[in-house]
Amino acid sequence: MKNLNKNSKTPNHVAIIMDGNGRWAQARRRPRLFGHRAGAARIREILESCPKLGVKYLTVFAFSTENWKRTQAEVAGLMSLFEKYIRKEAANLKDNGVRVRFIGDRIRLEDKLVDLMDDLELMTQDNDLVHLTVAINYGGRDEVARATRRLARDVELKKLSAKDVNEETLPKYLDTHVLPDPDLVIRTSGEARISNFLLWQSAYSEYEFIDTLWPDFTSEVFAKVVASYSQRSRRFGGASV
Ligand code: IPE
Ligand code: IPE
Ligand code: MG
């Protein structure tokens, strides 16, 4: 779905690469998981500030298809943190008008986590104040490959003809098919790379790379970044004057 609000000065959809939890913990001589816990606690504050900032869609990168390369202890700790987070936040999300969705490949996730994800999606499906999308075991390349596989199957089944594969039909197969493209992508922790996040969807997004480590990313910092978006001139390939 295209963002209908192309020239609006408020980003309708903000996507965040929540990076820097490990370094935040290291600076405090604590284990990496301590940083991940502090990072998870940040999401609520950012989410709650969305309605007043005019941000309707918030998408956060929680675990990439490449993050399995980390130690077994860190991966297990993160997976258990996702479970705890869903259990703890579910009622609050439901009561506060948040519609939650998950993107990424669920195949590698444990059944009990997938059940919690499914339940939370179902529980919040009638909400419409803010749309929170959490990317778990998500990789942009993996998403495009999975989408292409499903699309190819539809061609085989003659549900779709090869000549109809284009920029409108392909994204219908992506995990994000019901979401608008992100207007603004923020990455915390000073790294200026996208690490396989929303490759297709962010083709024309504005990027903001900030030095703040994710556990230090307050709603004040968020408000500043969102405000700076209004100064940008998005041209989508057109001419400004
Ligand atoms: C981001 O923080 C969270 C995940 C990738 C799961 P990191 O864990 O990447 O923190 P740094 O980059 O090592 O500081
Ligand atoms: C990107 O951060 C993924 C998430 C924030 C979940 P990484 O820390 O995994 O990215 P790289 O390894 O620095 O590129
Ligand atoms: Mg990192």
Side-chain angles (χ1 to χ4, degrees), residues 43 58-60 62 82-83 85-87 89-90 93 99-106 109 113-124 131-138 143 146 174-179:
I43 299 174
L58 180 74
T59 298
V60 294
F82 298 149
E83 282 177 28
Y85 183 86
I86 296 175
R87 283 187 215 279
E89 296 291 324
L93 291 162
R99 176 156 188 183
V100 184
R101 296 183 180 89
F102 294 93
I103 56 171
D105 193 354
R106 297 178 189 204
L109 304 177
L113 175 59
V114 175
D115 288 346
L116 286 166
M117 288 158 61
D118 287 340
D119 288 350
L120 186 57
E121 285 189 335
L122 205 65
M123 247 173 89
T124 61
H131 293 245
L132 171 70
T133 303
V134 186
I136 301 184
N137 192 26
Y138 175 87
E143 181 193 33
R146 286 186 288 105
L174 295 174
D175 297 349
T176 53
H177 60 100
V178 293
L179 303 176

Side-chain angles (χ1 to χ4, degrees), residues 6 8 15 21 95 121 139 154 168 172 187 190 206 225:
K6 269 190 183 167
S8 149
N21 296 348
D95 296 344
E121 285 189 335
D154 278 357
E168 305 295 325
K172 292 197 168 79
R187 182 174 188 142
E206 299 294 324
V225 179

Side-chain angles (χ1 to χ4, degrees), residues 18-24 32 36 62-63 67 70 74 78:
M18 309 184 290
D19 197 17
N21 296 348
R23 278 162 282 171
W24 187 89
R32 295 180 61 83
H36 293 315
F63 191 90
N67 287 148
R70 298 185 179 197
E74 184 172 357
L78 280 163

Side-chain angles (χ1 to χ4, degrees), residues 3 5 22 31 34 38 51 61 65 68 74 110 123 140 147-148 165 172 177 180 183 193 197 199 211 216 226 235:
N3 176 10
N5 221 354
F34 179 71
F61 202 3
T65 46
W68 299 103
E74 184 172 357
E110 279 188 27
M123 247 173 89
T148 309
V165 178
K172 292 197 168 79
H177 60 100
D183 300 293
R193 56 175 172 262
F197 192 42
L199 294 182
D211 287 338
D216 291 328
V226 168
R235 290 190 280 281

